[in-house]
Every structure is written in C-alpha cells, then in structure tokens.
C-alpha cells in the first residue's frame, strides 16, 4: 500500500523534472530485488515474518526517491522556484521519510526470533536453563550447624532439570542419543526440602547440574526411608559441586547411616562428581556419595568431611534403597564396577572412608558383598584423616590401586587401617602413614596397616610410616594364602616386626613359624622362640619343629 502511494505521489511531480525512463528502471529493480529476497528467505511462519520478507520493497523505494530528489534538483535549474517546485520537494521528502521508516520496521521484523525455551535454550542463550526463572531463590539464611529460613527452591531447580532433559524415548538405552544439557545455579545459598518419596533432587539422564558456585542445604525426610538422598543422578548425569550440607532444620528420622548426600544410581558410564575450588560435602548421616549399581564413576576435587561415610559402593539388591535392576538382560543384582577418585580429602568420618562392595538389601545395606568380583578402585592424590574406622574397607575387588595417598590417624578400633577382603590384586605406591594423634584421641591405635583376608596379591612400593603411637604397630595381618611383593618401605622404626616389614631401610620378615617365614619350594625356614634358625621339609607344626641350622 505504501508503495502504491509513493508511486502515485511521484507521478504527480512534473514530468519535466523527472525523466520518463525513471519509472521503468524503478519497476525492474524492484521486481528483481523482491524475487531474490523471497527466494533466499525461510518460509514465513506468521504474519510478522511474512511482512519481514518484503522489507526490500520500501528499501528500493527509498533508494529511488533519493535518486528522484537529486534529479529533481538538477531539472529545476539555478534560480528555479515557486509553489509547484516547493510542493514537489515536500512530496519527495515525505516519501523518503515514509519509505525509510518502513524499511527499518521491515528489517527488525526479518531478524531471527529468540530461541524458544526448551532443552539447551533459555531466553535465546544456548545450553543455559535458569532455575531462578522457575522459582528458585538463593535466600537461605542458615549455615552448617545453624538452621535458618528461606524460599524452598526444590521445585524450581527440579523444573529446570526436567526442562534440560531431552531423550529420544523411554527405553533403557535411549540416554545414548540424548540431547540433554546443563542447568547452572547462580551463586548463593539455596534451601531444598524433602519430598514424600524419591530424592530431593533428581538429575535426569545426560543432564549436568552445575552448582559449583552455590551452597545447597537439604532438609531430611520426615519419615524413615532408605530410598531418600539429597541428589540422585541418572545415566550419564554429572554434578559440578560447591557445597552440600543438611539444613539442620530437623534431625534425621532415625539413626541409620543411610541418609546420603549424593547417589549415582545404575549409571553405565561417565558419571562424574566434580569439585575443586571450595567444594565440600559435609555433615551427612550417611555417605557423601553412594554408588548404587554404578559402573564407571569419577569423583574429583572434593572435601568429604563430618559424614558417616565417604564413598559407599553398593549393589542394587531387593529394592530397599529404592532402586531395582531394570536393565534388559542383566542379573537380579547389579554390581558396582569401576570407581576412580582423585584429589579428594576424607576427614572426620565416623564409620569409614571408602567402603565397598556392599549389599543393597534390607539386612545388608553396608554388609560386605562376597558374591561378585566386578569392583575396581583407583585412588590418586587422596588423603584420609581422623577416621575411627577403616580408611578403605574393600571387598570382592578385582583390582585396588592407590598412588600418592596419605593415611593419617585412621584405624578400626585396634584392628587395621585398611582392610582388603577377597581381593585379587592390591597395590599401594608412594604412600604416607602418620599416626601422630591417634593415641591422644582416647581410642585404640590400629594393630596393622593392612588387614588382609583371602587376598591373592598385595604390592607395597614406596611407603613411609612415621609418628607411630604404638610401637607394636605391624604392617599387615596376612593369611598364608596371600602373596607379597614389598619394596622401598621406610618406617623409621615405626613398624614392629610382622609377617613382612622393613628394618633399617631394608626388606625383612618376622620369621615366625606360623606366619611371615621364608618358604623355598616345600622347605620352610623360620626362627624359634630362642632365636635359632630352623628348617623343615613341609609346614612346621610348632616353633621347635624341624631341625636347627647351625
């Protein structure tokens, strides 16, 4: 319509001032540009976008009017004037103003619309979904050990997590073709209530909850149930954590140590709980992290403090924990498999550091699982301190490997610092052991560094033990079935003679008739109570069995 008005007004300008070829050029240029614009524009989805495609029409009109203004001035000549000339100028200038406005409006209408909210988008920003827009508020006034008040952010955060999930279907393996994305929490303190069932927050398959700059405070459930936890993570889900604490607004409903901060449930691979920075999981009457039938787990850069347990590797059993095996073609019990922990600090844990593999049944929530042998553990750069239980209590593990780890003031009530039960191969390299404060705590010091049962191989290479509070501390309680390779052990007189130990920076053996003596084929060499070296072809039956070697 605007184009028609412009053409009509321009035709009223004296032909003497506008050459006759002008309208022919105008029409041809307008048709060409309009066809090119329509051919290269996406199919319009609404009236606004349809009009936006035709913004080239007033744009061409604007250009031609500017040309007409120039031609009009040239045809008028020097000194030309009068009411007709002034009227023509006004018509041309009004046309320029109208077509310029129409061009700007059309350009704005043709711009791409903001991305619709959905998986991977929020307000036009890819891969960001804002929980605050869904009701989450970082206004909790409490702190660890001191309850406060604030907005319950559970529904808002959960709505954002659900919006970030984009799976191809409802089948077990549909997480493989996911297009799920990240939910990021702004810095601040968030209060999370406990629902009547399930976890307080559920991270769907493939979704990343980035709470690295946030502190989350969780209410405990009002009724006792082992199926509850603070955050439950699904297939290929990931957590980037700042701080996770109980809110302390209410006590746990009972005294069972199963009220965990995080659970990784039936995850096949790529489950990651990443900290670093000022990252803490603390104050929980349960495990900081419990893997339930998890197959490949990475934990990095966390301070795990003041909980019942650090990490518990659990099978998926009879559904007591709230999860039953659902994967097609699998056995009734789904085992925990590979656990990889790096740069973590386990401190002030009342029940134990890392425990696994354990049962997931009503009578065996933390009891050893001797039925499977799928569990493997790799620890790097970790420290364990002030744990009145086993720093590591590992059962039915195929491989246990630690490198550059420290064990300070840990020990299970006068037993071992580390327990290995039904393990195939265990190796400890570059290990530091410090027992400076154990005797001052009032509890018994450990008797052994390693408490070993039915374990095939134990390798210790590069261990330094110092400040032992008990001169009777031994390196290991070893069964005859255990094979050893021990090298570069430097206790500085901190270890008493045991089955295997080091003396004056050299490898040594206790030489007892019933443990720790030398076996060459079928020949046994040991030291009797009087200090005499004895020999027997076959296992000795007493300290004085066999013959004395002069």
């Amino acid at each position: 319509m605007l184009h028609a008005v412009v053409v009509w007004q321009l035709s009223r300008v004296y032909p003497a001032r506008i050459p006759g070829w002008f309208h022919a050029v105008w029409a041809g240029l307008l048709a060409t540009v309009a066809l090119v614009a329509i051919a290269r524009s996406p199919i319009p989805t609404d009236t606004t976008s349809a009009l936006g495609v035709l913004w080239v029409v007033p744009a061409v009109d604007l250009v031609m009017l500017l040309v007409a203004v120039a031609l009009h001035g040239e045809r008028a000549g020097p000194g030309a004037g009068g009411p007709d000339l002034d009227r023509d100028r006004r018509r041309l200038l009004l046309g320029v103003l109208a077509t310029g406005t129409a061009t700007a409006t059309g350009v704005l209408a043709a711009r791409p619309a903001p991305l619709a909210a959905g998986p991977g988008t929020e307000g036009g920003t890819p891969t960001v979904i804002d929980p605050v827009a869904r009701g989450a508020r970082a206004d909790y006034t409490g702190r660890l050990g001191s309850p406060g008040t604030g907005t319950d952010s559970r529904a808002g955060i959960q709505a954002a997590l659900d919006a970030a999930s984009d799976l191809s279907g409802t089948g077990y393996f549909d997480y493989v073709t996911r297009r799920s994305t990240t939910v990021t929490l702004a810095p601040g303190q968030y209060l999370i209530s406990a629902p009547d069932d399930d976890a307080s927050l559920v991270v769907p398959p493939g979704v990343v909850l980035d709470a690295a700059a946030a502190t989350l405070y969780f209410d405990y459930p009002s009724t006792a149930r082992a199926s509850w936890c603070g955050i439950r993570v699904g297939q290929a889900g990931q957590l980037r954590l700042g701080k996770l604490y109980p809110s302390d607004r209410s006590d746990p409903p009972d005294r069972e140590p199963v009220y965990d901060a995080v659970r990784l449930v039936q995850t096949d691979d790529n489950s990651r709980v990443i900290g670093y920075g000022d990252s803490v999981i603390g104050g929980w009457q349960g495990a900081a992290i419990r893997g339930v039938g998890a197959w490949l787990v990475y934990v990095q850069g966390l301070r795990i403090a003041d909980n019942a347990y650090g990490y518990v590797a659990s099978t998926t059993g009879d559904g007591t924990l709230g999860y039953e095996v659902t994967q097609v073609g699998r056995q009734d019990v789904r085992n925990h498999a590979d656990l990889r922990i790096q740069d973590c600090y386990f401190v002030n844990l009342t029940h134990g550091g890392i425990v696994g593999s354990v049962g997931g049944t009503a009578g065996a929530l933390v009891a050893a699982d001797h039925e499977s042998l799928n569990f493997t553990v790799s620890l790097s750069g970790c420290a364990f301190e002030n744990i009145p239980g086993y720093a590591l209590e590992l059962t039915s593990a195929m491989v246990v490997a630690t490198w550059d780890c420290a064990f300070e003031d840990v020990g299970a009530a006068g037993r071992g610092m580390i327990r290995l039960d039904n393990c195939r191969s265990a190796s400890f390299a570059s290990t530091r052991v410090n027992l400076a404060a154990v005797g001052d705590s009032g509890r018994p010091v450990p008797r052994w560094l390693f408490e070993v049962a039915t374990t095939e191989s134990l390798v210790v290479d590069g261990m330094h033990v110092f400040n032992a509070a008990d001169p009777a501390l031994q390196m290991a309680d070893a069964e005859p079935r255990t094979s050893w390779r021990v090298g570069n052990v430097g206790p500085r007189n901190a270890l008493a003679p045991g089955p295997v130990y080091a003396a004056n920076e050299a490898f040594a053996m206790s030489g007892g008739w019933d443990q720790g003596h030398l076996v060459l084929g079928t020949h046994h060499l040991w030291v009797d109570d009087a200090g005499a070296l004895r020999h027997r072809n076959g296992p000795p039956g007493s300290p004085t069995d066999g013959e004395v070697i002069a």
Side-chain angles (χ1 to χ4, degrees), residues 52-364:
V53 173
L54 300 178
W55 68 270
V56 295
V57 174
V60 172
D61 291 343
L62 175 62
V63 172
M64 298 308 295
L65 283 172
L66 292 175
V67 173
V69 169
L71 293 174
H72 180 272
E74 292 177 0
R75 292 288 179 118
D84 291 338
L85 181 61
D86 293 338
R87 183 181 61 248
D88 292 342
R89 286 174 175 168
R90 286 195 299 270
R91 287 171 176 165
L92 292 174
L93 292 176
L94 286 174
V96 169
L97 179 62
T99 54
T101 302
T103 301
T105 303
V107 170
L108 292 176
R111 294 178 61 187
L115 296 173
T121 62
E122 178 75 26
T125 303
T127 69
V128 175
I129 292 182
D130 185 10
V132 174
R134 291 167 166 81
R137 297 291 181 268
D139 60 1
Y140 185 59
T141 61
R143 62 182 68 234
L144 179 63
S146 177
T149 59
T151 304
D152 179 10
S153 295
R154 183 178 68 86
I157 297 174
Q158 188 61 60
L161 291 170
D162 293 340
S165 178
D166 185 5
L167 305 180
S168 60
T170 59
Y172 181 88
F173 290 105
D174 286 328
Y175 75 91
V176 175
T177 54
R178 65 190 179 276
R179 297 196 305 173
S180 305
T181 185
T182 299
V183 172
T184 302
L185 285 176
Q189 321 291 315
Y190 296 84
L191 175 63
I192 313 296
S193 65
D196 294 332
D197 56 4
D198 210 344
S200 290
L201 294 176
V202 178
V203 179
V207 173
V208 177
L209 174 56
D210 187 349
T215 302
L216 307 185
Y217 294 87
F218 291 80
D219 287 343
Y220 281 121
S222 58
T223 58
R225 55 187 177 91
S227 61
W228 180 86
C229 65
I231 303 175
R232 174 165 64 86
V233 182
Q235 290 281 16
Q238 299 187 29
L239 294 178
R240 299 171 189 160
L241 294 183
K243 299 181 179 67
L244 299 184
Y245 297 128
S247 68
D248 291 316
R249 301 201 308 166
S250 62
D251 294 328
D254 59 26
R255 300 179 64 85
E256 293 294 327
V258 295
Y259 298 98
D260 307 325
V262 176
R263 285 185 181 174
L264 309 173
V265 180
Q266 294 185 198
T267 54
D268 286 353
D269 54 28
N270 199 35
S271 295
R272 298 176 184 268
V273 182
I274 309 299
Y276 295 108
D278 189 14
S279 302
V280 182
I281 302 178
W284 294 83
Q285 187 177 297
I289 306 171
R290 184 188 298 263
V292 185
W295 280 358
L296 184 55
V297 174
Y298 297 89
V299 179
Q300 296 175 302
L302 293 173
R303 184 177 188 269
I304 295 175
D306 304 297
N307 308 301
Y309 296 98
Y311 188 101
V312 175
S314 177
T315 61
T316 300
D318 62 2
T320 302
L321 291 171
Y323 328 105
E324 298 185 20
V325 176
T326 58
Q327 182 175 348
V328 176
R330 296 295 175 185
Q331 65 273 26
D332 292 335
V333 173
R334 178 176 164 121
N335 302 310
H336 195 299
D338 301 295
L339 174 61
R340 305 288 182 262
I341 300 181
Q342 179 180 356
D343 301 338
C344 288
Y345 181 35
F346 297 81
V347 62
N348 301 336
L349 305 175
T350 59
H351 288 57
I354 298 175
V355 181
S357 174
V358 304
T361 61

Side-chain angles (χ1 to χ4, degrees), residues 415 417 433 435 445-449 465 468-475 494-497:
R415 297 180 62 87
M417 300 174 66
V433 177
L435 295 174
V445 297
R447 293 178 60 190
W448 313 289
L449 299 184
V465 183
D470 187 349
L473 177 68
Q474 297 183 11
M475 184 171 183
L495 288 177

